[in-house]
């Protein structure tokens, strides 16, 4: 009897185990089978853009099955090398100097590179050490300009969708921290100028005054883009002064005017990203002033830019290879103006960034024109 009782108990336990397994399988099916509610598992705290964020999760009454998140949502991939490699404390300063967006550095460097190349002796390569030095100087100068701009425009930036996340506008840095960072960058710029001759030091130091004034122009005139072009065009004199004792104004003045027209073209396209916000904030720009006629104005400035560069090559006695490159540069500008969608912010930014290739075409033409002379 004891044997049969033991067997009966074991069979009873075995049947209960099978029932438990079946029940667990029933409850491990689709989420909607569990009381028509979706329960999301609390996620750990994540670090996004240097700020800790906590996701709030709760049961939601939904008859739809839970959707699996895409890999892009599951893991935050940093937008730039700044977020990947720099310490958290250094990131706001790097973003204040726009080191996370290095493409625009070329717009500061190309005018200097053009004048350094055109100042070289006929049949010889330009001074490579000088080109490298000005490349580093352009990184510093662009950081100075962006920092000054953000310090003066921090209240305006808060009202513009694209700029409200900048370090000073968002409160990641205080104005005092921004000012101290500016001073350190200015000292770096002066250290760069000390590597050049005395004429270049004077030209380069006075260049800062133009860039310090630029952020104020959007409050005073409808042509801040032209003032930016005038400031950037000053680089052709600095580059030439670093190589030659005397300045050839027959070559440099048309080159300077070409840079002004070029800057008005690309910065007007850039300003169309913020046109609606700028109108509300009371900021002036050629993008607002040109309005529906923007592309006609851009065509005019593009034509003036190419004509001035042609005159530059003629006065500098550049050989024929310069002109096919100039034609390619003209085609690049024509492509920008004809295809840009001024109502599409992303397309405006793409066209703006593409101007580094325009500068490369002109530089390549000057280089080949000098070597073939």
């Amino acid at each position: 009897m004891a044997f049969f009782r033991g067997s009966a108990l074991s069979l009873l336990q075995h049947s209960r185990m099978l029932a438990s397994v079946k029940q667990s399988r029933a409850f491990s099916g689709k989420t909607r089978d569990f009381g028509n509610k979706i329960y999301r598992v609390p996620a750990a705290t994540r670090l996004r853009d240097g700020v800790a964020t906590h996701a709030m999760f709760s049961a939601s009454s939904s008859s739809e099955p839970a959707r699996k998140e895409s890999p892009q949502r599951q893991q935050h991939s940093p937008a730039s090398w700044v977020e990947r490699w720099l310490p958290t404390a250094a990131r706001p300063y790097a973003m204040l100097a726009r080191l996370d967006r290095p493409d625009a550095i070329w717009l500061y460097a190309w005018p200097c590179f053009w004048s350094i190349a055109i100042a070289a002796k006929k049949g010889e390569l330009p001074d490579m050490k000088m080109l490298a030095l000005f490349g580093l100087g352009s990184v510093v100068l662009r950081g100075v300009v962006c920092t000054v701009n953000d310090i003066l425009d921090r209240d305006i930036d808060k009202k513009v969708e694209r700029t409200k996340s900048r370090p000073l506008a968002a409160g990641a840095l205080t104005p005092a921290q921004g000012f101290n960072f500016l001073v350190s960058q200015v000292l770096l710029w002066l250290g760069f100028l000390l590597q050049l001759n005395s004429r270049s030091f004077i030209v380069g130091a006075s260049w800062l005054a133009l860039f310090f004034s630029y952020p104020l122009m959007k409050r005073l005139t409808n042509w801040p883009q032209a003032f930016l072009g005038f400031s950037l065009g000053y680089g052709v004199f600095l580059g030439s002064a670093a190589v030659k004792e005397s300045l050839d104004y027959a070559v440099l003045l048309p080159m300077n005017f070409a840079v002004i027209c070029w800057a008005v073209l690309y910065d007007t396209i850039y300003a169309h990203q913020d046109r609606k916000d700028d109108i509300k904030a009371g900021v002036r720009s050629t993008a607002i002033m040109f309005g529906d006629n923007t592309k006609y104005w851009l065509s005019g400035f593009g034509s003036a830019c190419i004509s001035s560069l042609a005159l530059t090559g003629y006065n500098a006695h550049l050989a024929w290879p310069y002109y096919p490159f100039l034609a390619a540069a003209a085609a690049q500008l024509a492509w920008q103006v004809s295809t840009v969608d001024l109502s599409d912010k992303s397309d405006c930014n793409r066209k703006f960034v593409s101007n580094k290739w325009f500068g490369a075409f002109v530089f390549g033409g000057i280089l080949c024109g000098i070597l073939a002379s």
Side-chain angles (χ1 to χ4, degrees):
M1 291 294 291
F3 171 78
F4 287 109
R5 288 179 183 175
S7 298
L9 288 173
S10 62
L11 287 172
L12 182 60
Q13 291 174 352
H14 182 68
S15 63
R16 288 178 179 175
M17 289 177 61
L18 289 175
S20 177
V21 170
K22 288 180 180 180
Q23 187 178 18
S24 64
R25 286 181 179 177
F27 282 107
S28 63
K30 295 182 179 180
T31 311
R32 63 185 176 189
D33 293 335
F34 191 65
N36 285 333
K37 290 187 178 182
I38 300 172
Y39 286 83
R40 295 178 175 87
V41 180
T45 301
R46 293 179 294 178
L47 190 68
R48 184 180 179 89
D49 296 333
V51 180
T53 57
H54 298 266
M56 296 178 64
F57 298 85
S58 62
S60 61
S61 298
S62 174
S63 59
E64 294 182 2
R67 296 180 180 178
K68 188 176 181 180
E69 287 189 295
S70 62
Q72 289 82 0
R73 288 192 174 186
Q74 289 176 353
Q75 293 182 354
H76 169 60
S77 56
S80 70
W81 70 271
V82 168
E83 291 180 295
R84 287 197 301 269
W85 301 110
L86 291 187
T88 303
R91 291 175 194 171
Y93 294 98
M95 291 180 178
L96 183 58
R98 306 289 197 278
L99 295 180
D100 57 322
R101 300 178 182 179
D103 291 305
I105 294 172
W106 288 106
L107 305 180
Y108 291 79
W110 283 129
C112 301
F113 287 177
W114 295 351
S115 61
I116 292 172
I118 212 166
K121 293 181 180 179
K122 296 294 189 288
E124 296 183 7
L125 288 170
D127 189 334
M128 295 300 174
K129 180 181 177 181
M130 194 64 67
L131 288 174
L133 188 61
F134 269 80
L136 294 174
S138 298
V139 176
V140 176
L141 180 63
R142 196 248 184 153
V144 170
V145 176
C146 292
T147 303
V148 171
N149 182 80
D150 285 11
I151 290 174
L152 296 178
D153 285 355
R154 61 186 183 276
D155 292 330
I156 294 176
D157 287 343
K158 295 176 183 178
K159 304 175 184 178
V160 179
E161 183 65 29
R162 185 180 58 85
T163 60
K164 66 182 183 181
S165 61
R166 287 177 176 174
L168 288 172
L173 292 175
T174 65
Q177 290 173 318
F179 179 78
N180 292 335
F181 183 57
L182 174 63
V183 171
S184 66
Q185 291 177 98
V186 170
L187 292 176
L188 284 175
W189 174 251
L190 295 178
F192 156 74
L193 294 178
L194 288 174
Q195 309 304 310
L196 310 177
N197 54 41
S198 56
R199 177 195 290 267
S200 300
F201 186 89
I202 296 173
V203 173
S206 61
W207 198 10
L208 282 181
L210 294 175
F211 282 120
F212 275 48
S213 304
Y214 163 65
L216 302 175
M217 293 300 110
K218 63 186 72 175
R219 298 168 173 83
L220 303 176
T221 176
N222 292 324
W223 293 88
Q225 282 70 29
F227 189 85
L228 174 65
F230 179 75
S231 302
L232 291 169
Y234 209 68
V236 304
F237 301 111
L238 178 60
S240 184
V243 178
K244 300 175 69 175
E245 291 296 328
S246 59
L247 300 179
D248 188 349
Y249 291 103
V251 173
L252 297 180
L253 284 177
M255 182 182 285
N256 173 266
F257 184 69
V259 174
I260 294 174
C261 294
W262 179 37
V264 171
L265 188 152
Y266 66 65
D267 204 52
T268 299
I269 292 175
Y270 185 80
H272 266 274
Q273 297 178 92
D274 308 323
R275 188 172 182 272
K276 293 181 180 179
D277 290 331
D278 285 347
I279 293 174
K280 294 178 182 178
V283 175
R284 302 180 184 184
S285 74
T286 51
I288 297 173
M289 185 178 66
F290 295 163
D292 295 335
N293 297 318
T294 291
K295 288 202 173 185
Y296 295 105
W297 282 93
L298 296 184
S299 298
F301 279 105
S303 299
C305 173
I306 297 301
S307 299
S308 298
L309 288 173
L311 180 60
T312 297
Y314 177 79
N315 290 345
H317 307 291
L318 297 178
W320 69 267
Y322 170 72
Y323 297 97
F325 278 91
L326 185 60
Q332 205 277 339
L333 285 187
W335 166 77
Q336 285 187 61
V337 175
S338 62
T339 63
V340 64
D341 183 354
L342 296 173
S343 63
D344 185 343
K345 294 182 179 182
S346 61
D347 190 50
C348 288
N349 187 66
R350 281 193 296 270
K351 296 303 189 297
F352 169 75
V353 170
S354 74
N355 280 277
K356 61 186 178 183
W357 299 113
F358 173 85
F361 283 133
V362 176
F363 179 76
I366 294 174
L367 185 63
C368 293
I370 287 288
L371 293 175
S373 298

